[in-house]
């Protein structure tokens, strides 16, 4: 199931960070400025460096745009008189300028400047991407998908490749198995052992044996009258770890019987691997070379590509069916699109809220803090919430097979989200989002829905 040895790296100039030094409240702030890229590469790989580099460029781009917007665009918008008093949020937007004002050309000029700056930043990011240097044994390992479950025998796979490619030597064949439940049980076993060690440390430091109340009642802090009696924590976690260890061994034997019809085939040379991958690129070269067992193993329907790094594979997702994969991806992205379409940008939401009667309800509270900071709070909330929706929806509701693919999907969706949020949807928000909020928040009757 696993192949290759990736314990060695070429970057030995930075030692492995001691992550226990970053434990505690707000310790991540210090970690942001002290952990180096090489340490991150050791811990999470090159993809993490690429993603963080992408975020750095986005932060720099946003800083430049914010400085120019606050220093130039905001005073220009504030000089108009089309949106009521100075405390009105619309007083800071382009709608505050008269339609015949020459100051509108400032927006056109800076829109072009922002576009050029974004192109330069992304081009610079692309030119300075960290390169992945893959050792030769990764290029010699192929990932074969589509093997019939009743024909998952290493001898048949070897026979096919040796007959179809006589000059290619197959050095290893390993099959992939459904280990999703095995990984869950093993992680629970590790958690139980970690909890037992923590309880033993507490007992050594305090001299008092820690206790706990098992089950959900203990997790939510129920009293004796609601939950069960307390038990010795060390004994409880010891029994739990032993039980899970036995369950892991049982599940391991069961997992070895749940072949997924996927195999990692290692050949003798890099050139041989490249030749096989090229032969299975059927859109370019036609049907792949067949052998005497091609009908048995259905080799003409295989998907063959270079195998990813073992640590890069999300093994529990290999068992997800194609139907479930596509349903989850389509559902998640439709939901995201609907959220982005209706909420658009924080500025459009505030502009829409300005036309409703929400201010009267706030003024009746007689709280200057709420009335002054609510717009800012809404801006921060939506600016932080919507990107997180993109990230967490991909992590928890999409079943990508590799972390590289997952990270690239998140980067692409984040980029598309920013384009929608900053350029495309604001031009539609005055029609779609405003109509939605007017319909839900205003007490006027017979509101006309206008969709752009």
């Amino acid at each position: 199931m696993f192949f290759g040895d990736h314990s060695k790296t070429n970057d030995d100039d930075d030692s492995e960070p001691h992550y226990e030094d970053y434990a505690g409240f707000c310790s991540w702030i210090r970690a942001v400025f002290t952990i180096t890229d090489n340490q991150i590469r050791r811990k999470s790989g090159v993809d993490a460096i690429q993603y963080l580099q992408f975020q750095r460029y986005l932060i720099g781009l946003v800083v430049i745009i914010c400085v120019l917007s606050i220093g130039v665009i905001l005073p220009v918008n504030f000089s108009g008189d089309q949106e009521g008093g100075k405390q009105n949020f619309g007083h800071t937007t382009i709608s505050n300028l008269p339609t015949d004002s020459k100051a509108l050309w400032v927006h056109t000029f800076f829109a072009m400047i922002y576009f050029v700056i974004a192109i330069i930043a992304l081009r610079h990011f692309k030119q300075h991407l960290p390169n992945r240097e893959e050792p030769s044994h990764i290029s010699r390992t192929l990932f074969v998908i589509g093997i019939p479950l009743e024909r998952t025998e290493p001898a048949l796979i070897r026979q096919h490749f040796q007959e179809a490619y006589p000059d290619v030597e197959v050095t290893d064949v390993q099959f992939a198995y459904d280990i999703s439940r095995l990984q869950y049980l093993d992680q629970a076993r590790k958690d139980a052992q970690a909890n037992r060690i923590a309880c033993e440390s507490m007992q050594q430091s305090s001299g008092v044996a820690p206790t706990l109340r098992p089950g959900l009642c203990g997790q939510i802090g129920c009293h004796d009258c609601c939950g069960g009696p307390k038990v010795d924590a060390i004994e409880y976690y010891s029994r739990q770890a032993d039980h899970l260890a036995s369950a892991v061994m049982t599940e391991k034997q069961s997992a070895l019987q749940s072949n997924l019809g996927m195999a990692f085939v290692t050949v003798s040379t890099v050139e041989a691997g490249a030749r096989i991958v090229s032969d299975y690129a059927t859109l370019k070269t036609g049907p792949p070379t067949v052998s005497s067992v091609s009908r048995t193993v259905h080799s003409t329907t295989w998907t063959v590509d270079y195998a990813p790094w073992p640590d890069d594979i999300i093994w529990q997702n290999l068992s997800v069916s194609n139907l479930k994969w596509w349903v989850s991806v389509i559902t998640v992205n439709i939901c995201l699109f609907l959220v982005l379409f209706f909420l658009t940008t924080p500025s459009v939401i505030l502009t829409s809220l300005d036309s409703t009667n929400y201010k009267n309800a706030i003024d009746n509270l007689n709280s200057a803090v709420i009335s002054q900071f609510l717009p800012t709070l809404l801006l921060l909330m939506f600016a932080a919430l919507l990107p997180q929706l993109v990230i967490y929806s991909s992590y928890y509701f999409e079943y990508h097979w590799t972390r590289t693919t997952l990270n690239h999907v998140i980067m692409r969706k984040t980029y598309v989200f920013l384009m929608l949020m900053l350029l495309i949807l604001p031009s539609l928000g005055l029609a779609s989002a405003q109509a939605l909020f007017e319909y839900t928040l205003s007490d006027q009757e017979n509101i006309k829905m206008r969709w752009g």
Side-chain angles (χ1 to χ4, degrees):
M1 205 162 35
F2 301 94
F3 54 93
D5 181 12
H6 305 283
S7 59
K8 297 181 180 180
T9 58
N10 296 325
D11 302 318
D12 296 329
D13 51 340
D14 286 324
S15 60
E16 188 76 15
H18 299 285
Y19 296 101
E20 61 272 10
D21 296 338
Y22 301 105
F25 183 69
C26 291
S27 59
W28 61 270
I29 298 177
R30 183 165 63 92
V32 168
F33 298 99
T34 56
I35 295 181
T36 64
D37 284 354
N38 285 332
Q39 291 174 336
I40 297 175
R41 182 182 291 108
R42 288 174 175 270
K43 179 66 177 178
S44 303
V46 178
D47 295 320
I49 299 297
Q50 293 180 357
Y51 182 74
L52 292 177
Q53 191 75 2
F54 177 68
Q55 295 296 330
R56 290 168 188 157
Y57 274 84
L58 290 182
I59 291 173
L61 182 62
V62 170
V63 168
I64 294 174
I65 293 177
C66 286
V67 171
L68 293 178
S69 298
I70 295 175
V72 181
I73 301 296
L74 184 61
V76 171
N77 292 341
F78 209 74
S79 63
D81 57 359
Q82 301 296 308
E83 289 291 337
K86 295 182 178 181
Q87 295 183 352
N88 193 327
F89 180 79
H91 203 74
T92 64
T93 65
I94 190 175
S95 62
N96 192 45
L97 298 176
T99 56
D100 58 349
S101 175
K102 294 183 178 180
L104 292 174
W105 286 104
V106 176
H107 286 271
T108 303
F109 174 76
F110 273 89
M112 298 175 62
I113 293 296
Y114 291 160
F115 179 75
V116 172
I117 293 175
I119 294 298
I120 294 175
L122 293 177
R123 183 174 180 83
H124 191 270
F125 165 72
K126 181 179 179 180
Q127 293 176 346
H128 292 79
L129 274 176
N131 294 324
R132 177 191 291 276
E133 297 180 358
E134 297 185 350
S136 59
H137 59 262
I138 291 298
S139 299
R140 293 190 293 110
T141 303
L142 308 178
F143 188 27
V144 181
I145 305 172
I147 304 173
L149 298 181
E150 64 275 6
R151 295 291 185 267
T152 52
E153 302 175 9
L156 285 176
I157 307 302
R158 288 177 180 270
Q159 181 180 352
H160 165 72
F161 282 106
Q162 289 175 353
E163 291 182 2
Y165 313 97
D167 55 337
V168 174
E169 179 185 357
V170 177
T171 60
D172 188 31
V173 177
Q174 296 289 339
F175 289 96
Y177 302 92
D178 183 3
I179 61 170
S180 55
R181 177 168 172 77
L182 177 61
Q183 284 193 323
Y184 170 78
L185 293 174
D186 189 56
Q187 185 60 46
R189 179 188 61 83
K190 293 178 180 179
D191 293 341
Q193 290 180 343
N195 291 335
R196 177 180 56 81
I197 294 174
C199 291
E200 290 175 349
S201 300
M202 292 173 57
Q203 184 179 18
Q204 292 177 359
S205 60
S206 63
V208 178
T211 60
L212 59 83
R213 182 175 289 106
L216 179 62
C217 292
Q219 296 178 2
I220 62 178
C222 294
H223 296 286
D224 294 334
C225 59
C226 176
K230 290 185 175 181
V231 299
D232 183 86
I234 297 177
E235 182 180 353
Y236 173 79
Y237 285 121
S238 297
R239 291 197 309 268
Q240 191 178 52
D242 294 339
H243 172 73
L244 289 171
S246 176
V248 165
M249 296 304 298
T250 303
E251 181 62 26
K252 183 178 180 180
Q253 298 299 324
S254 176
L256 292 176
Q257 307 300 322
S258 56
N259 200 302
L260 297 177
M262 305 174 186
F264 298 96
V265 180
T266 303
V267 295
S268 56
T269 62
V270 177
E271 292 75 14
R275 175 187 170 189
I276 296 174
V277 171
S278 176
D279 190 30
Y280 272 88
T282 55
L283 294 179
K284 298 180 180 179
T285 61
T289 306
V290 297
S291 66
S292 62
V293 295
S294 291
R295 290 181 178 271
T296 303
V297 298
H298 298 177
S299 64
T300 55
T301 61
W302 288 355
T303 301
V304 180
D305 203 349
Y306 294 110
W309 291 60
D311 293 339
D312 189 38
I313 300 175
I314 307 176
W315 296 95
Q316 63 270 25
N317 288 352
L318 294 181
S319 59
V320 176
S321 64
N322 289 334
L323 177 61
K324 183 177 180 180
W325 193 93
W326 280 108
V327 168
S328 64
V329 169
I330 294 174
T331 303
V332 166
N333 287 282
I334 289 178
C335 293
L336 280 177
F337 176 78
L338 293 177
V339 171
L340 298 181
F341 179 77
F342 284 113
L343 296 185
T344 63
T345 65
S347 60
V348 171
I349 293 175
L350 290 180
T351 303
S352 301
L353 288 175
D354 283 341
S355 63
T356 65
N357 60 355
Y358 87 105
K359 287 186 175 181
N360 295 331
I362 295 177
D363 293 338
N364 293 334
L365 297 177
N366 297 323
S367 175
V369 175
I370 296 179
S371 61
Q372 293 296 324
F373 288 98
L374 180 60
T376 303
L377 180 62
L378 288 175
L379 285 173
L380 292 175
M381 182 179 67
F382 282 102
L385 175 62
L386 295 182
Q388 293 300 318
L389 286 177
V390 175
I391 295 173
Y392 284 103
S393 63
S394 299
Y395 267 113
Y396 296 106
F397 298 103
E398 294 182 3
Y399 303 98
H400 298 285
W401 285 3
T402 64
R403 292 176 176 83
T404 298
T405 303
L406 175 62
N407 293 334
H408 286 171
V409 166
I410 290 177
M411 282 204 303
R412 294 189 186 100
K413 290 171 67 173
T414 303
Y415 177 76
V416 171
F417 161 74
L418 291 175
M419 293 292 292
L420 291 172
M421 182 177 181
L422 299 178
L423 296 178
I424 301 174
L425 290 182
S427 64
L428 304 175
L430 293 177
S432 58
Q434 181 176 355
L436 174 66
F437 277 87
E438 285 179 354
Y439 181 79
T440 55
L441 297 179
S442 179
D443 57 359
Q444 300 177 3
E445 296 181 357
N446 299 324
I447 296 175
K448 184 179 179 180
M449 299 292 291
R450 294 175 292 110
W451 299 94

